[in-house]
Amino acid sequence: MTKFMIATLLVSSWFAHPNLDSREIPLSKDETIVAMFQEMNEKRVRAGLPEMVLDEELCALSQRWSNRMAKTGSFHHGGGENVIARGQDDPVAAIAAWLRSPGHRVFLMGRSTRVGFGAQQSSGGTWYWTGTFR
């Protein structure tokens, strides 16, 4: 096996959602991502805002960034995403954390029409959450 092939395998393992490795379903059908999406849209509807559409490409972008943060332990913006969080135990808690932050709330409750979410648990058990809005 060449060094290039080994490097490709290592990099691709950083971007693998554990739930999808065995089920091979679209990210937009993943139960964790759908739970985040439904929670956000429920809050939008209560506020009189239109629902957003869950976008597969934005989910892929968000998932890659969540995977990277979980793999490296880093916690910063830089993957093209809009909101990130870590340490919340479930999708509802992640959405609630973003809604409590004015800088993050503007994305969840803003004028965007499409969204993608990603979620990844690190080997140490910490969850990393990502949202991308367009």
Side-chain angles (χ1 to χ4, degrees), residues 70-87:
K71 179 74 173 177
T72 64
S74 65
F75 184 67
H76 60 85
H77 289 280
E81 78 301 328
N82 303 111
V83 296
I84 57 174
R86 75 172 165 196

Side-chain angles (χ1 to χ4, degrees), residues 93-106:
I95 295 294
W98 286 330
L99 288 172
R100 285 190 302 271
S101 164
H104 294 90
R105 183 182 181 85
V106 70

Side-chain angles (χ1 to χ4, degrees), residues 28-48:
S28 59
K29 303 294 183 196
D30 178 75
E31 64 186 43
T32 302
I33 291 171
V34 169
M36 294 178 78
F37 175 68
Q38 290 173 336
E39 181 69 11
M40 181 207 63
N41 266 340
E42 180 181 310
K43 303 299 186 198
R44 288 179 61 83
V45 168
R46 283 189 194 163

Side-chain angles (χ1 to χ4, degrees), residues 15-115:
F15 300 112
H17 188 290
N19 294 336
L20 299 183
D21 286 344
S22 60
R23 293 189 288 156
E24 295 185 15
I25 62 169
L27 286 165
S28 59
K29 303 294 183 196
D30 178 75
E31 64 186 43
T32 302
I33 291 171
V34 169
M36 294 178 78
F37 175 68
Q38 290 173 336
E39 181 69 11
M40 181 207 63
N41 266 340
E42 180 181 310
K43 303 299 186 198
R44 288 179 61 83
V45 168
R46 283 189 194 163
L49 299 169
E51 292 184 1
M52 288 191 196
V53 173
L54 188 58
D55 183 286
E56 184 66 29
E57 288 181 29
L58 297 179
C59 285
L61 188 152
S62 294
Q63 189 61 52
R64 283 191 300 272
W65 196 250
S66 288
N67 290 351
R68 184 177 188 278
M69 290 189 298
K71 179 74 173 177
T72 64
S74 65
F75 184 67
H76 60 85
H77 289 280
E81 78 301 328
N82 303 111
V83 296
I84 57 174
R86 75 172 165 196
Q88 295 78 13
D89 292 329
D90 59 58
V92 172
I95 295 294
W98 286 330
L99 288 172
R100 285 190 302 271
S101 164
H104 294 90
R105 183 182 181 85
V106 70
F107 288 104
L108 279 73
M109 304 302 274
R111 294 185 180 183
S112 295
T113 58
R114 298 179 300 126
V115 63

